[in-house]
Amino acid sequence: MLHLDSAAAGRSSRAVLQAAAEHAVAEARRGAYVAAEDASSVLSGLRVDVARLIGMAPDGVVWTESGQTALARLLSAWPFEPTATVGVLASEWGPNLEAFQSHGLTLIPLPADAAGRLDLAAFERLLTAAPPTVVHLTQVAAHRGLVQPVARAAAICAEHGVPLWVDASQALGHVQTDSGADAVYGTSRKWLAGPRGVGLLAIAEAHWPRLRLSQPAMLGPDVPRVRILESSEANVAGRVGLATAVRELVELGPDRVWRRLAEV
């Protein structure tokens, strides 16, 4: 069988399917909360593995139901002023633009070259003259083979004090995702080849004190407040399956996988 629609949903391995199924059976036998507690070490390992892939601290990684849910949580928690703006490229994914506008952000076009990639020289001039409140880049496009230079953009943003957000939904498991961005979000179901119904969000620790986290914190004293953004009522079986998928990627060697995907 040839599976060509990995941009929508990658095919999980047999081990991933088995891990998710076994956890679902455990929930039925022992109860959902007991089964989740039993899987705590697996889920902790997943947090560490994903944090390494995106270059964030494990404590800053939270789980959601999807990439779009992760973006919604990020938008709700970020301390925007009413006049806030977001810099975006013309290739930006439509639902992301809708999410920005629904939160009252004004869209600022970013300069691009003829291929649609961020024009770094013009970008630096823009940040010097009239910087947006935040910059948002979709690292790998869903509709064509467009890869943005997010690491170089992150360095420029850092020099000018402008936060960079990265949509890594198509990038995780596909290309290098350790970029130095201030926030990264994505999903399990694409190039990580994990189950559907699991998303992730990671926020750099420097921003945690400024986040708007008004939801009551049902957390222990040692759990970072950023975890308020995490979905507590969740598809834990999907997260367990994702843990297997990411562990497979780590054991194969991400560099090796990225090179092979670039070849094909």
Side-chain angles (χ1 to χ4, degrees):
M1 178 186 292
L2 294 179
H3 181 80
L4 302 179
D5 201 13
S6 292
R11 294 181 68 208
S12 295
S13 70
R14 290 184 177 90
V16 170
L17 298 173
Q18 182 176 353
E22 287 179 354
H23 185 84
V25 171
E27 288 187 342
R29 288 178 174 170
R30 300 197 300 277
Y33 294 99
V34 174
E37 182 63 29
D38 290 345
S40 60
S41 63
V42 172
L43 299 176
S44 294
L46 169 62
R47 206 182 297 272
V48 170
D49 283 344
V50 167
R52 287 174 179 163
L53 284 176
I54 58 180
M56 292 274 193
D59 283 346
V61 177
V62 301
W63 309 116
T64 65
E65 292 76 27
S66 67
Q68 283 302 106
T69 302
L71 176 57
R73 299 272 171 86
L74 179 59
L75 284 165
S76 296
W78 205 264
F80 285 119
E81 298 295 332
T83 57
T85 59
V86 55
V88 295
L89 288 166
S91 60
E92 184 55 73
W93 196 49
N96 288 347
L97 299 176
E98 294 171 3
F100 299 146
Q101 291 175 312
S102 70
H103 279 77
L105 300 180
T106 299
L107 304 179
I108 302 297
L110 297 177
D113 63 18
R117 290 184 299 265
L118 182 68
D119 183 327
L120 292 167
F123 178 59
E124 185 155 21
R125 291 194 294 270
L126 173 67
L127 294 195
T128 301
T133 307
V134 299
V135 170
H136 182 277
L137 294 176
T138 293
Q139 184 172 357
V140 179
H143 57 293
R144 61 190 175 105
L146 184 61
V147 183
Q148 298 297 341
V150 292
R152 296 173 69 186
I156 294 171
C157 283
E159 290 176 3
H160 291 81
V162 177
L164 172 64
W165 295 0
V166 172
D167 179 346
S169 295
Q170 300 286 355
L172 284 163
H174 194 171
V175 297
Q176 168 67 263
T177 46
D178 181 353
S179 65
D182 297 274
V184 178
Y185 65 94
T187 184
S188 163
R189 66 182 167 86
K190 296 178 184 277
W191 293 91
L192 289 177
R196 293 188 67 184
V198 183
L200 63 97
L201 167 65
I203 302 174
E205 188 171 359
H207 298 286
W208 297 356
R210 300 174 55 243
L211 296 176
R212 294 172 177 169
L213 302 174
S214 58
Q215 179 181 340
M218 303 296 291
L219 301 172
D222 298 327
V223 179
R225 286 186 68 243
V226 71
R227 298 277 181 85
I228 292 173
L229 298 173
E230 186 163 293
S231 301
S232 58
E233 184 57 43
N235 174 16
V236 178
R239 295 179 186 176
V240 169
L242 177 59
T244 299
V246 174
R247 180 43 40 184
E248 287 180 333
L249 173 63
V250 170
E251 291 176 354
L252 281 170
D255 288 335
R256 176 186 172 196
V257 173
W258 300 332
R259 286 196 302 271
R260 178 57 180 155
L261 288 174
E263 288 172 2
V264 301

